[in-house]
Amino acid sequence: MNPKRDLAILLQRNDFSIACKTDLQYPRHFHSHPGYEMVWLRDGAAQYVFEDKVYAMAKDSLLVFKSSSLHKVHVPEGRKYARVVIQFTRNFFGFEHEALEEFQRIMDRMTAPHELLQLQSEGAGALRGIVDRLMAENACDDLWGKKGAIQIHLLELLLFLCRSLRRETGVGDRLDRGTDKAALTENILLELNAAWSTNWSLDALASRLHMNKFYLCHFFKKELGVTIQQYILQKRFHEAQKLLINTDLPIREVASRVGFVSDSNFIRGFKKHLNTTPKLFRESAEAQQYKL
């Protein structure tokens, strides 16, 4: 995988997309982008990792989350990864609707902006029908009223999700799907999230976790598909994106707040990983009124 292609600038994403995939082509890095994302695992297994939570997904599990959360997927070696991925932003709708407003309220009230559901047969069947209608509309470019039809079916999906998240229909059960490995990974992430902007050291991290530092590095890379150093860097650029979009802080101050000793190193690293400069990134965000 090409990391520059993987790390496509978040501002280039569409306000709506849907894809049904069975390949193993997916971003291997931690990333974020505006809006919401839904991943329905049709077959196989996948591990979705956030800054504070690790979810082990199985067949017919449905993960719903704010895409602005730093996240990545890791597929165990030799496993299938058949999924439907739906992404949308609030900008896709030019109007207000009860289902959209309730969905946003539910997501905003969550302790963490992500939720895993295990669909039962009734729920999986209902979701399949909605997804089929969305896929059919999205696949044809010459249909009259295409965007309006997609909006209608997407609202139908949000209604389905709201009822599932409110536990009113029994179509889905909320899951933790925790494992010993997931718990250990979450503990490591907890420590990294407390140290990412500091002059951290691997020895100190291993000591706090009561782990051998060589085993720690091996475990982290095996479970998440990235090294500890890569996670720290991706976390720093994620936080830098938020500061560039949501504040007027000078580039030098942004660099300092995310742990860089010089703004020149920050600018060089930002351009390498996001294929644009912090200044151009901020200007694009302001022009498109994106917020993280």
Side-chain angles (χ1 to χ4, degrees):
M1 301 291 283
N2 185 328
K4 286 187 177 180
R5 186 168 62 246
D6 274 356
L7 286 166
I9 303 171
L10 95 175
L11 302 171
Q12 294 178 343
R13 290 184 175 269
N14 297 325
D15 285 328
F16 169 81
S17 67
I18 182 171
C20 182
K21 300 180 178 181
T22 58
D23 59 42
L24 294 177
Q25 302 299 309
Y26 57 88
R28 308 302 172 97
H29 63 284
F30 280 91
H31 60 285
S32 63
H33 45 91
Y36 301 95
E37 189 163 343
M38 305 162 202
V39 180
W40 176 24
L41 194 65
R42 300 293 304 277
D43 195 13
Q47 181 173 263
Y48 267 75
V49 186
F50 297 87
E51 294 177 82
D52 56 351
K53 188 68 179 176
V54 179
Y55 293 108
M57 295 183 67
K59 182 179 179 181
D60 275 337
S61 54
L62 175 64
L63 183 65
V64 184
F65 59 96
K66 286 185 177 181
S67 309
S68 55
S69 305
L70 195 62
H71 61 279
K72 80 178 297 292
V73 62
H74 181 61
V75 179
E77 187 175 352
R79 299 302 298 271
K80 296 178 181 179
Y81 181 37
R83 72 278 188 197
V84 174
V85 181
I86 299 171
Q87 298 172 348
F88 75 95
T89 71
R90 180 65 178 82
N91 294 336
F92 182 66
F93 296 93
F95 53 86
E96 295 185 358
H97 190 277
E98 182 182 10
L100 175 61
E101 304 306 320
E102 178 63 11
F103 175 74
Q104 291 182 304
R105 282 194 293 269
I106 290 174
M107 297 301 290
D108 289 340
R109 287 198 301 263
M110 288 181 178
T111 304
H114 34 76
E115 191 74 57
L116 182 66
L117 298 169
Q118 180 62 44
L119 299 178
Q120 300 172 18
S121 57
E122 177 188 354
L127 180 59
R128 185 177 299 106
I130 299 171
V131 167
D132 286 346
R133 290 188 284 277
L134 278 169
M135 294 287 292
E137 287 289 339
N138 194 60
C140 296
D141 293 329
D142 58 349
L143 289 178
W144 179 85
K146 173 180 176 177
K147 182 176 180 179
I150 291 176
Q151 289 171 334
I152 291 171
H153 297 317
L154 187 54
L155 287 171
E156 185 182 7
L157 174 59
L158 295 182
L159 176 62
F160 171 87
L161 288 170
C162 288
R163 288 176 173 174
S164 299
L165 292 169
R166 289 166 62 95
R167 301 188 184 186
E168 290 180 350
T169 64
V171 297
D173 296 321
R174 291 183 172 184
L175 292 178
D176 189 322
R177 283 201 182 280
T179 64
D180 290 341
K181 285 186 177 181
L184 178 54
T185 304
E186 289 170 3
N187 286 338
I188 297 171
L189 288 169
L190 182 65
E191 291 292 341
L192 290 175
N193 291 332
W196 65 269
S197 63
T198 69
N199 187 21
W200 69 282
S201 73
L202 181 60
D203 287 332
L205 176 66
S207 177
R208 287 194 298 273
L209 290 164
H210 307 289
M211 296 176 67
N212 176 279
K213 66 179 181 180
F214 299 108
Y215 176 74
L216 170 60
C217 292
H218 172 77
F219 175 86
F220 194 85
K221 177 64 182 299
K222 182 179 179 182
E223 293 301 311
L224 274 68
V226 297
T227 66
I228 290 175
Q229 289 79 4
Q230 287 171 330
Y231 173 78
I232 289 286
L233 198 58
Q234 290 160 14
K235 168 70 174 173
R236 287 178 173 180
F237 287 126
H238 169 70
E239 296 298 330
Q241 289 171 22
K242 292 197 292 186
L243 290 173
L244 289 167
I245 290 176
N246 298 327
T247 76
D248 295 322
L249 290 173
I251 302 299
R252 184 184 299 274
E253 178 65 19
V254 171
S256 175
R257 290 198 181 192
V258 298
F260 283 84
V261 295
S262 73
D263 54 335
S264 61
N265 285 340
F266 168 67
I267 294 170
R268 190 182 307 114
F270 193 96
K271 186 173 183 180
K272 178 180 179 182
H273 280 76
L274 289 166
N275 223 18
T276 188
T277 65
K279 181 175 183 293
L280 290 175
F281 178 88
R282 171 176 273 169
E283 290 173 352
S284 297
E286 290 174 348
Q288 299 186 45
Q289 299 182 334
Y290 275 121
K291 293 294 180 182
L292 283 180

